[in-house]
Amino acid sequence: MDFFYGQESLSIIQWALRAIVAFFFLFLIVKIMGLRSISQLRLLDFAMAILIGNVIAHPLSDEGLGLKGSLVSMSILVSLYLICLYLMSKFIPFREFVAPPPVSLVKNGEINLKNLKKARISVDDVLSEMRKQSIVDLKMVALALWEPDGEISFFLSPEHQPVTKSDISITPQPFSYPHAIIKEGKINYKMLNHSPYNEETLKNNIKTTYNVEINEVLLATLDQNNQLQIFLK
């Protein structure tokens, strides 16, 4: 366990052990922090990412620094992060301080210059985000909000919104999400157990219909009507 502590020099194996411990500890930390920490970064998440990266990087490059101190520091930072998340869920003023409410940038086709300055973004930034969402005219925008994670949400005026099936009185089909029953030549037995197939009938179906073996299938999905769709390698 000498690699945990600061030394004048480390062997290649000790450097490797430090990297392995740091990797798995960082993986554990991210799991504890949750998916929020690796999605669009908000102020709190960004601060945590910078701090954790800085804390873990130094002992991996400087043999004079022990690893133990970094792991303790990271544990304390994650504890503070989880406490902040708890306070945000319980106290609205604290939540609005850490993650401010959205700021209106455009309303009824008109840009709010005061809020643009508050958000520290330019008109070009708004136009760029409009292009990404295929919005060609500012007058089409009923509302544009600058979100706490830095994204801009656009809401079109009713006359510019796409026509839906409900608008023209067409009864839509129920939503159906196809499930992967084969991935990269391997059967997903968990999904297979919830399908009308067993391993033998599945193989026979694919062989009869597509004249291929299971290991030649890149992806096979099964919809709510138990229809197979095959994608070959």
Side-chain angles (χ1 to χ4, degrees), residues 133-157:
Q133 300 192 33
S134 302
I135 302 173
V136 297
D137 189 348
L138 193 62
K139 294 296 183 183
M140 297 170 60
V141 180
L143 183 66
L145 298 175
W146 182 63
E147 304 289 353
D149 62 2
E151 295 290 318
I152 300 178
S153 301
F154 291 95
F155 301 89
L156 298 179
S157 301

mmCIF file with all atom_site columns, all heavy atoms in Angstrom, residues 133-157:
data_model
loop_
_atom_site.group_PDB
_atom_site.id
_atom_site.type_symbol
_atom_site.label_atom_id
_atom_site.label_alt_id
_atom_site.label_comp_id
_atom_site.label_asym_id
_atom_site.label_entity_id
_atom_site.label_seq_id
_atom_site.pdbx_PDB_ins_code
_atom_site.Cartn_x
_atom_site.Cartn_y
_atom_site.Cartn_z
_atom_site.occupancy
_atom_site.B_iso_or_equiv
_atom_site.pdbx_formal_charge
_atom_site.auth_seq_id
_atom_site.auth_comp_id
_atom_site.auth_asym_id
_atom_site.auth_atom_id
_atom_site.pdbx_PDB_model_num
ATOM 1   N N   . GLN A 1 133 ? -32.452 24.326 -34.433 1.00 0.00 ? 133 GLN A N   1
ATOM 2   C CA  . GLN A 1 133 ? -33.794 23.755 -34.305 1.00 0.00 ? 133 GLN A CA  1
ATOM 3   C C   . GLN A 1 133 ? -34.673 24.062 -35.522 1.00 0.00 ? 133 GLN A C   1
ATOM 4   O O   . GLN A 1 133 ? -35.896 23.936 -35.462 1.00 0.00 ? 133 GLN A O   1
ATOM 5   C CB  . GLN A 1 133 ? -34.455 24.265 -33.017 1.00 0.00 ? 133 GLN A CB  1
ATOM 6   C CG  . GLN A 1 133 ? -33.665 23.887 -31.768 1.00 0.00 ? 133 GLN A CG  1
ATOM 7   C CD  . GLN A 1 133 ? -34.447 24.135 -30.492 1.00 0.00 ? 133 GLN A CD  1
ATOM 8   O OE1 . GLN A 1 133 ? -35.661 24.010 -30.450 1.00 0.00 ? 133 GLN A OE1 1
ATOM 9   N NE2 . GLN A 1 133 ? -33.740 24.479 -29.414 1.00 0.00 ? 133 GLN A NE2 1
ATOM 10  N N   . SER A 1 134 ? -34.023 24.470 -36.609 1.00 0.00 ? 134 SER A N   1
ATOM 11  C CA  . SER A 1 134 ? -34.704 24.718 -37.894 1.00 0.00 ? 134 SER A CA  1
ATOM 12  C C   . SER A 1 134 ? -35.769 25.796 -37.786 1.00 0.00 ? 134 SER A C   1
ATOM 13  O O   . SER A 1 134 ? -36.816 25.715 -38.446 1.00 0.00 ? 134 SER A O   1
ATOM 14  C CB  . SER A 1 134 ? -35.310 23.412 -38.445 1.00 0.00 ? 134 SER A CB  1
ATOM 15  O OG  . SER A 1 134 ? -34.319 22.432 -38.611 1.00 0.00 ? 134 SER A OG  1
ATOM 16  N N   . ILE A 1 135 ? -35.518 26.809 -36.976 1.00 0.00 ? 135 ILE A N   1
ATOM 17  C CA  . ILE A 1 135 ? -36.416 27.960 -36.871 1.00 0.00 ? 135 ILE A CA  1
ATOM 18  C C   . ILE A 1 135 ? -35.817 29.085 -37.713 1.00 0.00 ? 135 ILE A C   1
ATOM 19  O O   . ILE A 1 135 ? -34.725 29.568 -37.406 1.00 0.00 ? 135 ILE A O   1
ATOM 20  C CB  . ILE A 1 135 ? -36.588 28.400 -35.406 1.00 0.00 ? 135 ILE A CB  1
ATOM 21  C CG1 . ILE A 1 135 ? -37.120 27.236 -34.562 1.00 0.00 ? 135 ILE A CG1 1
ATOM 22  C CG2 . ILE A 1 135 ? -37.509 29.607 -35.309 1.00 0.00 ? 135 ILE A CG2 1
ATOM 23  C CD1 . ILE A 1 135 ? -37.166 27.529 -33.065 1.00 0.00 ? 135 ILE A CD1 1
ATOM 24  N N   . VAL A 1 136 ? -36.508 29.476 -38.740 1.00 0.00 ? 136 VAL A N   1
ATOM 25  C CA  . VAL A 1 136 ? -35.913 30.400 -39.716 1.00 0.00 ? 136 VAL A CA  1
ATOM 26  C C   . VAL A 1 136 ? -36.258 31.858 -39.462 1.00 0.00 ? 136 VAL A C   1
ATOM 27  O O   . VAL A 1 136 ? -35.606 32.758 -40.006 1.00 0.00 ? 136 VAL A O   1
ATOM 28  C CB  . VAL A 1 136 ? -36.348 30.012 -41.153 1.00 0.00 ? 136 VAL A CB  1
ATOM 29  C CG1 . VAL A 1 136 ? -35.838 28.633 -41.507 1.00 0.00 ? 136 VAL A CG1 1
ATOM 30  C CG2 . VAL A 1 136 ? -37.876 30.060 -41.299 1.00 0.00 ? 136 VAL A CG2 1
ATOM 31  N N   . ASP A 1 137 ? -37.286 32.111 -38.660 1.00 0.00 ? 137 ASP A N   1
ATOM 32  C CA  . ASP A 1 137 ? -37.751 33.489 -38.465 1.00 0.00 ? 137 ASP A CA  1
ATOM 33  C C   . ASP A 1 137 ? -38.024 33.734 -36.984 1.00 0.00 ? 137 ASP A C   1
ATOM 34  O O   . ASP A 1 137 ? -38.717 32.957 -36.334 1.00 0.00 ? 137 ASP A O   1
ATOM 35  C CB  . ASP A 1 137 ? -39.017 33.726 -39.291 1.00 0.00 ? 137 ASP A CB  1
ATOM 36  C CG  . ASP A 1 137 ? -39.421 35.203 -39.308 1.00 0.00 ? 137 ASP A CG  1
ATOM 37  O OD1 . ASP A 1 137 ? -38.873 35.982 -38.511 1.00 0.00 ? 137 ASP A OD1 1
ATOM 38  O OD2 . ASP A 1 137 ? -40.298 35.559 -40.123 1.00 0.00 ? 137 ASP A OD2 1
ATOM 39  N N   . LEU A 1 138 ? -37.482 34.820 -36.456 1.00 0.00 ? 138 LEU A N   1
ATOM 40  C CA  . LEU A 1 138 ? -37.682 35.166 -35.053 1.00 0.00 ? 138 LEU A CA  1
ATOM 41  C C   . LEU A 1 138 ? -39.159 35.375 -34.731 1.00 0.00 ? 138 LEU A C   1
ATOM 42  O O   . LEU A 1 138 ? -39.604 35.112 -33.605 1.00 0.00 ? 138 LEU A O   1
ATOM 43  C CB  . LEU A 1 138 ? -36.882 36.432 -34.724 1.00 0.00 ? 138 LEU A CB  1
ATOM 44  C CG  . LEU A 1 138 ? -36.717 36.788 -33.244 1.00 0.00 ? 138 LEU A CG  1
ATOM 45  C CD1 . LEU A 1 138 ? -35.965 35.704 -32.506 1.00 0.00 ? 138 LEU A CD1 1
ATOM 46  C CD2 . LEU A 1 138 ? -36.013 38.130 -33.099 1.00 0.00 ? 138 LEU A CD2 1
ATOM 47  N N   . LYS A 1 139 ? -39.940 35.825 -35.700 1.00 0.00 ? 139 LYS A N   1
ATOM 48  C CA  . LYS A 1 139 ? -41.367 36.068 -35.489 1.00 0.00 ? 139 LYS A CA  1
ATOM 49  C C   . LYS A 1 139 ? -42.137 34.770 -35.234 1.00 0.00 ? 139 LYS A C   1
ATOM 50  O O   . LYS A 1 139 ? -43.271 34.807 -34.758 1.00 0.00 ? 139 LYS A O   1
ATOM 51  C CB  . LYS A 1 139 ? -41.963 36.794 -36.687 1.00 0.00 ? 139 LYS A CB  1
ATOM 52  C CG  . LYS A 1 139 ? -41.430 38.212 -36.892 1.00 0.00 ? 139 LYS A CG  1
ATOM 53  C CD  . LYS A 1 139 ? -41.812 39.109 -35.723 1.00 0.00 ? 139 LYS A CD  1
ATOM 54  C CE  . LYS A 1 139 ? -41.336 40.546 -35.955 1.00 0.00 ? 139 LYS A CE  1
ATOM 55  N NZ  . LYS A 1 139 ? -41.644 41.421 -34.777 1.00 0.00 ? 139 LYS A NZ  1
ATOM 56  N N   . MET A 1 140 ? -41.540 33.618 -35.568 1.00 0.00 ? 140 MET A N   1
ATOM 57  C CA  . MET A 1 140 ? -42.187 32.333 -35.316 1.00 0.00 ? 140 MET A CA  1
ATOM 58  C C   . MET A 1 140 ? -42.126 31.928 -33.851 1.00 0.00 ? 140 MET A C   1
ATOM 59  O O   . MET A 1 140 ? -42.855 31.041 -33.410 1.00 0.00 ? 140 MET A O   1
ATOM 60  C CB  . MET A 1 140 ? -41.518 31.238 -36.159 1.00 0.00 ? 140 MET A CB  1
ATOM 61  C CG  . MET A 1 140 ? -41.633 31.442 -37.665 1.00 0.00 ? 140 MET A CG  1
ATOM 62  S SD  . MET A 1 140 ? -40.582 30.289 -38.598 1.00 0.00 ? 140 MET A SD  1
ATOM 63  C CE  . MET A 1 140 ? -41.249 28.704 -38.068 1.00 0.00 ? 140 MET A CE  1
ATOM 64  N N   . VAL A 1 141 ? -41.253 32.603 -33.074 1.00 0.00 ? 141 VAL A N   1
ATOM 65  C CA  . VAL A 1 141 ? -40.993 32.207 -31.683 1.00 0.00 ? 141 VAL A CA  1
ATOM 66  C C   . VAL A 1 141 ? -41.959 32.916 -30.741 1.00 0.00 ? 141 VAL A C   1
ATOM 67  O O   . VAL A 1 141 ? -41.983 34.149 -30.666 1.00 0.00 ? 141 VAL A O   1
ATOM 68  C CB  . VAL A 1 141 ? -39.543 32.534 -31.289 1.00 0.00 ? 141 VAL A CB  1
ATOM 69  C CG1 . VAL A 1 141 ? -39.278 32.129 -29.848 1.00 0.00 ? 141 VAL A CG1 1
ATOM 70  C CG2 . VAL A 1 141 ? -38.570 31.824 -32.214 1.00 0.00 ? 141 VAL A CG2 1
ATOM 71  N N   . ALA A 1 142 ? -42.761 32.127 -30.028 1.00 0.00 ? 142 ALA A N   1
ATOM 72  C CA  . ALA A 1 142 ? -43.656 32.696 -29.010 1.00 0.00 ? 142 ALA A CA  1
ATOM 73  C C   . ALA A 1 142 ? -42.893 32.963 -27.724 1.00 0.00 ? 142 ALA A C   1
ATOM 74  O O   . ALA A 1 142 ? -43.129 33.966 -27.040 1.00 0.00 ? 142 ALA A O   1
ATOM 75  C CB  . ALA A 1 142 ? -44.821 31.749 -28.747 1.00 0.00 ? 142 ALA A CB  1
ATOM 76  N N   . LEU A 1 143 ? -41.961 32.074 -27.407 1.00 0.00 ? 143 LEU A N   1
ATOM 77  C CA  . LEU A 1 143 ? -41.189 32.220 -26.178 1.00 0.00 ? 143 LEU A CA  1
ATOM 78  C C   . LEU A 1 143 ? -39.866 31.484 -26.317 1.00 0.00 ? 143 LEU A C   1
ATOM 79  O O   . LEU A 1 143 ? -39.825 30.363 -26.815 1.00 0.00 ? 143 LEU A O   1
ATOM 80  C CB  . LEU A 1 143 ? -41.973 31.652 -24.985 1.00 0.00 ? 143 LEU A CB  1
ATOM 81  C CG  . LEU A 1 143 ? -41.338 31.777 -23.596 1.00 0.00 ? 143 LEU A CG  1
ATOM 82  C CD1 . LEU A 1 143 ? -41.235 33.242 -23.178 1.00 0.00 ? 143 LEU A CD1 1
ATOM 83  C CD2 . LEU A 1 143 ? -42.138 30.994 -22.559 1.00 0.00 ? 143 LEU A CD2 1
ATOM 84  N N   . ALA A 1 144 ? -38.783 32.115 -25.896 1.00 0.00 ? 144 ALA A N   1
ATOM 85  C CA  . ALA A 1 144 ? -37.468 31.473 -25.832 1.00 0.00 ? 144 ALA A CA  1
ATOM 86  C C   . ALA A 1 144 ? -36.912 31.690 -24.429 1.00 0.00 ? 144 ALA A C   1
ATOM 87  O O   . ALA A 1 144 ? -36.850 32.822 -23.952 1.00 0.00 ? 144 ALA A O   1
ATOM 88  C CB  . ALA A 1 144 ? -36.517 32.049 -26.876 1.00 0.00 ? 144 ALA A CB  1
ATOM 89  N N   . LEU A 1 145 ? -36.525 30.602 -23.772 1.00 0.00 ? 145 LEU A N   1
ATOM 90  C CA  . LEU A 1 145 ? -36.044 30.669 -22.393 1.00 0.00 ? 145 LEU A CA  1
ATOM 91  C C   . LEU A 1 145 ? -34.595 30.199 -22.313 1.00 0.00 ? 145 LEU A C   1
ATOM 92  O O   . LEU A 1 145 ? -34.245 29.167 -22.888 1.00 0.00 ? 145 LEU A O   1
ATOM 93  C CB  . LEU A 1 145 ? -36.905 29.797 -21.482 1.00 0.00 ? 145 LEU A CB  1
ATOM 94  C CG  . LEU A 1 145 ? -38.394 30.162 -21.355 1.00 0.00 ? 145 LEU A CG  1
ATOM 95  C CD1 . LEU A 1 145 ? -39.115 29.120 -20.523 1.00 0.00 ? 145 LEU A CD1 1
ATOM 96  C CD2 . LEU A 1 145 ? -38.558 31.547 -20.746 1.00 0.00 ? 145 LEU A CD2 1
ATOM 97  N N   . TRP A 1 146 ? -33.803 30.956 -21.603 1.00 0.00 ? 146 TRP A N   1
ATOM 98  C CA  . TRP A 1 146 ? -32.422 30.541 -21.315 1.00 0.00 ? 146 TRP A CA  1
ATOM 99  C C   . TRP A 1 146 ? -32.445 29.704 -20.042 1.00 0.00 ? 146 TRP A C   1
ATOM 100 O O   . TRP A 1 146 ? -32.780 30.190 -18.966 1.00 0.00 ? 146 TRP A O   1
ATOM 101 C CB  . TRP A 1 146 ? -31.535 31.767 -21.137 1.00 0.00 ? 146 TRP A CB  1
ATOM 102 C CG  . TRP A 1 146 ? -30.103 31.452 -20.877 1.00 0.00 ? 146 TRP A CG  1
ATOM 103 C CD1 . TRP A 1 146 ? -29.230 30.810 -21.705 1.00 0.00 ? 146 TRP A CD1 1
ATOM 104 C CD2 . TRP A 1 146 ? -29.354 31.772 -19.688 1.00 0.00 ? 146 TRP A CD2 1
ATOM 105 N NE1 . TRP A 1 146 ? -27.995 30.706 -21.107 1.00 0.00 ? 146 TRP A NE1 1
ATOM 106 C CE2 . TRP A 1 146 ? -28.040 31.283 -19.874 1.00 0.00 ? 146 TRP A CE2 1
ATOM 107 C CE3 . TRP A 1 146 ? -29.678 32.415 -18.503 1.00 0.00 ? 146 TRP A CE3 1
ATOM 108 C CZ2 . TRP A 1 146 ? -27.060 31.427 -18.909 1.00 0.00 ? 146 TRP A CZ2 1
ATOM 109 C CZ3 . TRP A 1 146 ? -28.694 32.564 -17.531 1.00 0.00 ? 146 TRP A CZ3 1
ATOM 110 C CH2 . TRP A 1 146 ? -27.398 32.074 -17.746 1.00 0.00 ? 146 TRP A CH2 1
ATOM 111 N N   . GLU A 1 147 ? -32.121 28.422 -20.189 1.00 0.00 ? 147 GLU A N   1
ATOM 112 C CA  . GLU A 1 147 ? -32.221 27.477 -19.079 1.00 0.00 ? 147 GLU A CA  1
ATOM 113 C C   . GLU A 1 147 ? -30.974 27.531 -18.198 1.00 0.00 ? 147 GLU A C   1
ATOM 114 O O   . GLU A 1 147 ? -29.915 27.973 -18.633 1.00 0.00 ? 147 GLU A O   1
ATOM 115 C CB  . GLU A 1 147 ? -32.416 26.055 -19.620 1.00 0.00 ? 147 GLU A CB  1
ATOM 116 C CG  . GLU A 1 147 ? -33.615 25.888 -20.541 1.00 0.00 ? 147 GLU A CG  1
ATOM 117 C CD  . GLU A 1 147 ? -34.942 25.975 -19.810 1.00 0.00 ? 147 GLU A CD  1
ATOM 118 O OE1 . GLU A 1 147 ? -34.933 26.035 -18.554 1.00 0.00 ? 147 GLU A OE1 1
ATOM 119 O OE2 . GLU A 1 147 ? -35.991 25.980 -20.477 1.00 0.00 ? 147 GLU A OE2 1
ATOM 120 N N   . PRO A 1 148 ? -31.089 27.064 -16.947 1.00 0.00 ? 148 PRO A N   1
ATOM 121 C CA  . PRO A 1 148 ? -29.929 27.077 -16.036 1.00 0.00 ? 148 PRO A CA  1
ATOM 122 C C   . PRO A 1 148 ? -28.736 26.287 -16.534 1.00 0.00 ? 148 PRO A C   1
ATOM 123 O O   . PRO A 1 148 ? -27.596 26.552 -16.127 1.00 0.00 ? 148 PRO A O   1
ATOM 124 C CB  . PRO A 1 148 ? -30.491 26.449 -14.748 1.00 0.00 ? 148 PRO A CB  1
ATOM 125 C CG  . PRO A 1 148 ? -31.952 26.714 -14.804 1.00 0.00 ? 148 PRO A CG  1
ATOM 126 C CD  . PRO A 1 148 ? -32.323 26.644 -16.254 1.00 0.00 ? 148 PRO A CD  1
ATOM 127 N N   . ASP A 1 149 ? -28.952 25.289 -17.414 1.00 0.00 ? 149 ASP A N   1
ATOM 128 C CA  . ASP A 1 149 ? -27.824 24.510 -17.923 1.00 0.00 ? 149 ASP A CA  1
ATOM 129 C C   . ASP A 1 149 ? -27.184 25.141 -19.156 1.00 0.00 ? 149 ASP A C   1
ATOM 130 O O   . ASP A 1 149 ? -26.299 24.553 -19.770 1.00 0.00 ? 149 ASP A O   1
ATOM 131 C CB  . ASP A 1 149 ? -28.258 23.073 -18.234 1.00 0.00 ? 149 ASP A CB  1
ATOM 132 C CG  . ASP A 1 149 ? -29.330 23.012 -19.320 1.00 0.00 ? 149 ASP A CG  1
ATOM 133 O OD1 . ASP A 1 149 ? -29.711 24.071 -19.850 1.00 0.00 ? 149 ASP A OD1 1
ATOM 134 O OD2 . ASP A 1 149 ? -29.782 21.903 -19.642 1.00 0.00 ? 149 ASP A OD2 1
ATOM 135 N N   . GLY A 1 150 ? -27.629 26.357 -19.524 1.00 0.00 ? 150 GLY A N   1
ATOM 136 C CA  . GLY A 1 150 ? -27.034 27.069 -20.651 1.00 0.00 ? 150 GLY A CA  1
ATOM 137 C C   . GLY A 1 150 ? -27.727 26.838 -21.978 1.00 0.00 ? 150 GLY A C   1
ATOM 138 O O   . GLY A 1 150 ? -27.378 27.482 -22.979 1.00 0.00 ? 150 GLY A O   1
ATOM 139 N N   . GLU A 1 151 ? -28.696 25.927 -22.025 1.00 0.00 ? 151 GLU A N   1
ATOM 140 C CA  . GLU A 1 151 ? -29.440 25.672 -23.258 1.00 0.00 ? 151 GLU A CA  1
ATOM 141 C C   . GLU A 1 151 ? -30.553 26.706 -23.412 1.00 0.00 ? 151 GLU A C   1
ATOM 142 O O   . GLU A 1 151 ? -31.000 27.323 -22.441 1.00 0.00 ? 151 GLU A O   1
ATOM 143 C CB  . GLU A 1 151 ? -30.050 24.271 -23.237 1.00 0.00 ? 151 GLU A CB  1
ATOM 144 C CG  . GLU A 1 151 ? -29.022 23.149 -23.222 1.00 0.00 ? 151 GLU A CG  1
ATOM 145 C CD  . GLU A 1 151 ? -28.286 23.014 -24.530 1.00 0.00 ? 151 GLU A CD  1
ATOM 146 O OE1 . GLU A 1 151 ? -28.948 23.120 -25.590 1.00 0.00 ? 151 GLU A OE1 1
ATOM 147 O OE2 . GLU A 1 151 ? -27.062 22.822 -24.511 1.00 0.00 ? 151 GLU A OE2 1
ATOM 148 N N   . ILE A 1 152 ? -31.007 26.896 -24.665 1.00 0.00 ? 152 ILE A N   1
ATOM 149 C CA  . ILE A 1 152 ? -32.129 27.792 -24.950 1.00 0.00 ? 152 ILE A CA  1
ATOM 150 C C   . ILE A 1 152 ? -33.301 26.949 -25.435 1.00 0.00 ? 152 ILE A C   1
ATOM 151 O O   . ILE A 1 152 ? -33.166 26.190 -26.398 1.00 0.00 ? 152 ILE A O   1
ATOM 152 C CB  . ILE A 1 152 ? -31.762 28.858 -26.002 1.00 0.00 ? 152 ILE A CB  1
ATOM 153 C CG1 . ILE A 1 152 ? -30.591 29.708 -25.511 1.00 0.00 ? 152 ILE A CG1 1
ATOM 154 C CG2 . ILE A 1 152 ? -32.966 29.753 -26.288 1.00 0.00 ? 152 ILE A CG2 1
ATOM 155 C CD1 . ILE A 1 152 ? -30.128 30.759 -26.507 1.00 0.00 ? 152 ILE A CD1 1
ATOM 156 N N   . SER A 1 153 ? -34.440 27.065 -24.753 1.00 0.00 ? 153 SER A N   1
ATOM 157 C CA  . SER A 1 153 ? -35.657 26.348 -25.133 1.00 0.00 ? 153 SER A CA  1
ATOM 158 C C   . SER A 1 153 ? -36.540 27.273 -25.963 1.00 0.00 ? 153 SER A C   1
ATOM 159 O O   . SER A 1 153 ? -36.766 28.422 -25.579 1.00 0.00 ? 153 SER A O   1
ATOM 160 C CB  . SER A 1 153 ? -36.427 25.881 -23.889 1.00 0.00 ? 153 SER A CB  1
ATOM 161 O OG  . SER A 1 153 ? -35.631 25.037 -23.095 1.00 0.00 ? 153 SER A OG  1
ATOM 162 N N   . PHE A 1 154 ? -37.040 26.761 -27.099 1.00 0.00 ? 154 PHE A N   1
ATOM 163 C CA  . PHE A 1 154 ? -37.896 27.556 -27.981 1.00 0.00 ? 154 PHE A CA  1
ATOM 164 C C   . PHE A 1 154 ? -39.299 26.977 -28.017 1.00 0.00 ? 154 PHE A C   1
ATOM 165 O O   . PHE A 1 154 ? -39.479 25.763 -28.088 1.00 0.00 ? 154 PHE A O   1
ATOM 166 C CB  . PHE A 1 154 ? -37.322 27.577 -29.406 1.00 0.00 ? 154 PHE A CB  1
ATOM 167 C CG  . PHE A 1 154 ? -36.049 28.359 -29.530 1.00 0.00 ? 154 PHE A CG  1
ATOM 168 C CD1 . PHE A 1 154 ? -34.821 27.718 -29.462 1.00 0.00 ? 154 PHE A CD1 1
ATOM 169 C CD2 . PHE A 1 154 ? -36.066 29.739 -29.707 1.00 0.00 ? 154 PHE A CD2 1
ATOM 170 C CE1 . PHE A 1 154 ? -33.637 28.423 -29.572 1.00 0.00 ? 154 PHE A CE1 1
ATOM 171 C CE2 . PHE A 1 154 ? -34.886 30.456 -29.815 1.00 0.00 ? 154 PHE A CE2 1
ATOM 172 C CZ  . PHE A 1 154 ? -33.671 29.802 -29.745 1.00 0.00 ? 154 PHE A CZ  1
ATOM 173 N N   . PHE A 1 155 ? -40.290 27.874 -27.989 1.00 0.00 ? 155 PHE A N   1
ATOM 174 C CA  . PHE A 1 155 ? -41.691 27.492 -28.126 1.00 0.00 ? 155 PHE A CA  1
ATOM 175 C C   . PHE A 1 155 ? -42.283 28.305 -29.266 1.00 0.00 ? 155 PHE A C   1
ATOM 176 O O   . PHE A 1 155 ? -42.271 29.545 -29.219 1.00 0.00 ? 155 PHE A O   1
ATOM 177 C CB  . PHE A 1 155 ? -42.452 27.750 -26.824 1.00 0.00 ? 155 PHE A CB  1
ATOM 178 C CG  . PHE A 1 155 ? -41.888 27.013 -25.637 1.00 0.00 ? 155 PHE A CG  1
ATOM 179 C CD1 . PHE A 1 155 ? -40.892 27.591 -24.862 1.00 0.00 ? 155 PHE A CD1 1
ATOM 180 C CD2 . PHE A 1 155 ? -42.333 25.741 -25.322 1.00 0.00 ? 155 PHE A CD2 1
ATOM 181 C CE1 . PHE A 1 155 ? -40.361 26.910 -23.774 1.00 0.00 ? 155 PHE A CE1 1
ATOM 182 C CE2 . PHE A 1 155 ? -41.810 25.054 -24.232 1.00 0.00 ? 155 PHE A CE2 1
ATOM 183 C CZ  . PHE A 1 155 ? -40.821 25.637 -23.459 1.00 0.00 ? 155 PHE A CZ  1
ATOM 184 N N   . LEU A 1 156 ? -42.774 27.610 -30.279 1.00 0.00 ? 156 LEU A N   1
ATOM 185 C CA  . LEU A 1 156 ? -43.295 28.289 -31.460 1.00 0.00 ? 156 LEU A CA  1
ATOM 186 C C   . LEU A 1 156 ? -44.696 28.822 -31.219 1.00 0.00 ? 156 LEU A C   1
ATOM 187 O O   . LEU A 1 156 ? -45.468 28.277 -30.416 1.00 0.00 ? 156 LEU A O   1
ATOM 188 C CB  . LEU A 1 156 ? -43.307 27.338 -32.649 1.00 0.00 ? 156 LEU A CB  1
ATOM 189 C CG  . LEU A 1 156 ? -41.945 26.799 -33.116 1.00 0.00 ? 156 LEU A CG  1
ATOM 190 C CD1 . LEU A 1 156 ? -42.134 25.854 -34.292 1.00 0.00 ? 156 LEU A CD1 1
ATOM 191 C CD2 . LEU A 1 156 ? -40.999 27.925 -33.474 1.00 0.00 ? 156 LEU A CD2 1
ATOM 192 N N   . SER A 1 157 ? -45.041 29.872 -31.963 1.00 0.00 ? 157 SER A N   1
ATOM 193 C CA  . SER A 1 157 ? -46.410 30.385 -31.946 1.00 0.00 ? 157 SER A CA  1
ATOM 194 C C   . SER A 1 157 ? -47.346 29.314 -32.494 1.00 0.00 ? 157 SER A C   1
ATOM 195 O O   . SER A 1 157 ? -46.935 28.499 -33.335 1.00 0.00 ? 157 SER A O   1
ATOM 196 C CB  . SER A 1 157 ? -46.502 31.649 -32.804 1.00 0.00 ? 157 SER A CB  1
ATOM 197 O OG  . SER A 1 157 ? -45.614 32.636 -32.325 1.00 0.00 ? 157 SER A OG  1
#
